[in-house]
Amino acid sequence: MSTYCRKVDRRILLYATILCILNQSDRGSIGVAKVVGLENDLGMVNNDFNIATTLFTVGYLSLEFFSNFVLKWVGASRLLPTLGILWGVVCALQGVITTKGQLYAMRVLLGMSECGFTAGILLILSFFYPKHKLTTRVGLFYLSSPLANVISGPLASALSQIHHPTIKRWQWVFILEGVITVCVSILGYFVLQDHPEKCKFLNPEEREFIQKYKQREGTLGGSQKLAARDVFKVLGDWQVWVMMGATFAACEACGSVSVFAPELINELGFTAAQAQAMSALPSACGAIAMVFIGRFVRMCGSHWLAGTSALATALVGSVMMISTLNVPVRIIGL
């Protein structure tokens, strides 16, 4: 079991984590671009920037429900790298726009091209790992989200220092991050596999082992057909809808930090370059917390209690940011 899981870790999980880091970085790069002149160059005023960030979610939600059905039909080894190439191209195209209307269109397209990625990776992980090994891997995969912000802040800060007579600093942020994503996504055609039963990097004994193990668990291994009754069974479970609401709230909060942290720090009196670099601090704290969250859950003896404690901590930080003008206290709250 350990040998099998380590082999899948090195291929599927490692690549998925790297691509997710790029996914989160491309999604949040608009926040860095704003600090280095995006709004001024595109003539954006009032709520124009907020509209641009919201339109990403509109595009994302428009196709999200159907993404896993397409994944099951097309296959992960083809669909997920293609999605990566698509959102990388769209991210790079944000660097050549000249109007806010074009930015709005690009944000919708970016959301549409990213919508199936996270759900698709989670589905693939469920194909390859036994249930008792899956939770840890999902946690490691989600660790890529705060790591993305830790990396993208200083990276975007460095990219925005590039000086060119015709290309603006915020354009470099979009273009280079998009190009990097496209290059990494192409590797996915050779790394990702649809399901363990036909996985090329597993030997016959390992393929037979995981197939029989998944059958004993009563879980899908990837090659089985997904029946309509299974879909309706999940949709009829009230716990799924409660979890969806809680996840929506948590993701919106995390997304807000990713997009608006550079601006918030910039408004506290720091320079644009300092704001971009310091925007990594909240995510660094989040990454450290995620490393120990499993132990905290066991200590609490309840996922509900651990989750409530985490959200309460986030609420305290929000109160700290809005209740004082003291810069160190606001940074700690963030």
Side-chain angles (χ1 to χ4, degrees):
M1 174 67 77
S2 297
T3 302
Y4 165 80
C5 287
R6 283 197 297 270
K7 184 177 286 189
V8 177
D9 288 344
R10 289 194 297 268
R11 292 292 295 267
I12 304 295
L13 183 60
L14 178 60
Y15 178 79
T17 302
I18 293 173
L19 195 55
C20 185
I21 289 175
L22 295 174
N23 175 271
Q24 297 294 323
S25 179
D26 294 345
R27 183 184 304 184
S29 58
I30 189 172
V32 175
K34 179 182 181 181
V35 175
V36 292
L38 171 70
E39 280 188 308
N40 292 334
D41 290 339
L42 297 186
M44 302 175 73
V45 295
N46 300 326
N47 289 322
D48 289 345
F49 182 81
N50 295 336
I51 293 172
T53 58
T54 303
L55 287 174
F56 169 86
T57 306
V58 173
Y60 195 96
L61 293 177
S62 66
L63 298 177
E64 175 69 9
F65 179 78
F66 306 100
S67 61
N68 276 356
F69 296 101
V70 177
L71 177 70
K72 196 67 167 130
W73 177 50
V74 176
S77 61
R78 293 180 293 276
L79 180 62
L80 296 181
T82 301
L83 290 178
I85 292 172
L86 287 175
W87 89 62
V89 170
V90 174
C91 180
L93 287 176
Q94 291 178 114
V96 298
I97 59 175
T98 56
T99 67
K100 64 182 180 183
Q102 293 172 347
L103 178 63
Y104 292 163
M106 289 297 104
R107 295 302 292 180
V108 174
L109 292 175
L110 186 65
M112 294 174 68
S113 59
E114 287 190 17
C115 71
F117 172 72
T118 301
I121 290 295
L122 294 178
L123 184 65
I124 293 305
L125 294 181
S126 72
F127 288 163
F128 277 88
Y129 290 103
K131 284 195 295 187
H132 71 284
K133 297 288 187 179
L134 182 60
T135 303
T136 301
R137 270 65 185 187
V138 171
L140 291 173
F141 172 70
Y142 274 119
L143 183 62
S144 59
S145 181
L147 283 178
N149 294 330
V150 171
I151 296 171
S152 64
L155 176 62
S157 177
L159 295 179
S160 66
Q161 299 308 308
I162 300 175
H163 296 284
H164 191 275
T166 57
I167 301 177
K168 307 285 187 178
R169 292 189 298 165
W170 60 269
Q171 292 176 309
W172 280 117
V173 173
F174 287 133
I175 293 171
L176 294 182
E177 288 195 6
V179 170
I180 292 171
T181 298
V182 171
C183 294
V184 174
S185 297
I186 292 174
L187 296 177
Y189 291 114
F190 308 97
V191 175
L192 293 177
Q193 304 290 316
D194 293 335
H195 47 75
E197 289 86 340
K198 295 184 179 180
C199 183
K200 295 180 181 179
F201 65 81
L202 296 176
N203 58 46
E205 292 77 14
E206 291 168 332
R207 289 196 292 268
E208 183 180 3
F209 160 75
I210 191 60
Q211 187 173 2
K212 291 182 177 179
Y213 202 102
K214 300 293 282 184
Q215 288 174 349
R216 290 198 301 269
E217 286 184 334
T219 56
L220 291 174
S223 61
Q224 299 92 334
K225 292 184 178 180
L226 185 64
R229 64 176 180 273
D230 296 325
V231 177
F232 288 114
K233 182 180 179 181
V234 171
L235 293 177
D237 190 341
W238 66 270
Q239 297 177 84
V240 172
W241 294 96
V242 172
M243 187 64 185
M244 183 178 69
T247 304
F248 174 81
C251 289
E252 283 302 304
C254 293
S256 297
V257 171
S258 174
V259 172
F260 292 104
E263 180 186 8
L264 290 173
I265 296 173
N266 182 235
E267 290 181 351
L268 293 178
F270 296 93
T271 65
Q274 290 172 333
Q276 293 159 17
M278 291 177 64
S279 65
L281 292 177
S283 297
C285 294
I288 294 172
M290 289 187 71
V291 172
F292 296 100
I293 192 65
R295 185 177 301 176
F296 182 64
V297 171
R298 290 191 294 271
M299 183 178 67
C300 293
S302 167
H303 286 83
W304 176 86
L305 182 59
T308 303
S309 300
L311 293 175
T313 303
L315 178 60
V316 170
S318 299
V319 172
M320 291 172 64
M321 286 190 290
I322 65 175
S323 61
T324 180
L325 297 178
N326 186 278
V327 173
V329 173
R330 282 187 158 187
I331 291 295
I332 293 173
L334 182 62

